[in-house]
Amino acid sequence: MNYIEFFFIAATLSFDTFAVSLAGGLTLVSAGAAGKAKIIFSFALMQASLFAAGWYTASLFAHIITAWDHWIAFSILSLLGVKIIADSIKSARGGEERKKIDLLNGRQLLLLSMATSIDAVAVGISMAFTEFSGFRILIDILILAAVTAVASFAGLSGAARIKGMFCSKASLAGGAILILIGTKILIEHIC
């Protein structure tokens, strides 16, 4: 997997962060630069940390199951893609209740950072079967942290102008991208 493909994975993982930052940004009265930096840092750090934890844990066992690694990566990325698409459709149909999000509340920010980063664990696990270089994973972690920070910044900055409809369309595209990348990994290893 090259850096461009990983950038698309990072962008897909950051759609949730963008949506939560956007929704939270709509309810923020006055965050100030320090408050916004805290929010952005929290999302980026959690996303990168959970990705690294998934990769490290799975890399301990990667040598045992290398014969099936491409199937595992394909399955995880495809299931994540389908879940993202299903959640997006449910949200667009009004299946999710809108709740007030207070991103300046430390506990709520931590929980939201974790919730939007859970899928990074699964991607980290799948990367352990395709990327074995510690240096490459370090670069991937930095890319993921940077993309997540940009997504959070964009959500906070554009909260007043961007409406909820865009978030569900972005999630649909993100889910499709994960499925396509998973399929590409499978095809590369089978052919």
Side-chain angles (χ1 to χ4, degrees):
M1 179 179 303
N2 62 41
Y3 289 117
I4 294 171
E5 290 170 335
F6 187 78
F7 173 80
F8 283 113
I9 288 176
T12 299
L13 289 174
S14 298
F15 284 141
D16 285 350
T17 298
F18 171 77
V20 170
S21 295
L22 176 66
L26 290 171
T27 63
L28 284 177
V29 176
S30 174
K36 288 181 181 177
K38 173 184 162 186
I39 293 166
I40 292 167
F41 181 75
S42 177
F43 281 115
L45 179 65
M46 188 64 69
Q47 189 93 280
S49 297
L50 291 182
F51 171 81
W55 176 82
Y56 178 74
T57 302
S59 67
L60 296 175
F61 304 102
H63 64 283
I64 298 170
I65 53 176
T66 54
W68 303 290
D69 61 356
H70 50 285
W71 285 103
I72 293 169
F74 166 74
S75 298
I76 290 172
L77 291 174
S78 294
L79 288 172
L80 278 173
V82 168
K83 180 189 177 301
I84 289 170
I85 290 170
D87 288 348
S88 172
I89 291 170
K90 180 181 174 186
S91 178
R93 290 184 180 164
E96 291 183 1
E97 226 179 83
R98 296 273 182 203
K99 297 177 183 171
K100 185 175 179 190
I101 298 171
D102 182 7
L103 293 177
L104 294 177
N105 176 312
R107 183 171 184 224
Q108 198 172 84
L109 178 59
L110 177 64
L111 291 174
L112 288 168
S113 296
M114 288 175 67
T116 59
S117 302
I118 293 295
D119 47 359
V121 174
V123 173
I125 290 169
S126 70
M127 290 297 289
F129 302 116
T130 58
E131 300 295 338
F132 301 104
S133 163
F135 178 74
R136 168 59 199 266
I137 289 300
L138 179 60
I139 299 298
D140 288 346
I141 290 168
L142 294 174
I143 290 170
L144 181 58
V147 170
T148 303
V150 168
S152 181
F153 177 78
L156 290 170
S157 299
R161 295 181 298 256
I162 300 173
K163 302 299 177 194
M165 190 64 176
F166 177 75
C167 296
S168 63
K169 289 181 181 177
S171 294
L172 284 173
I177 288 169
L178 280 180
I179 293 169
L180 290 173
I181 291 173
T183 303
K184 179 186 176 290
I185 289 170
L186 180 65
I187 290 170
E188 284 176 348
H189 283 82
I190 290 178
C191 296

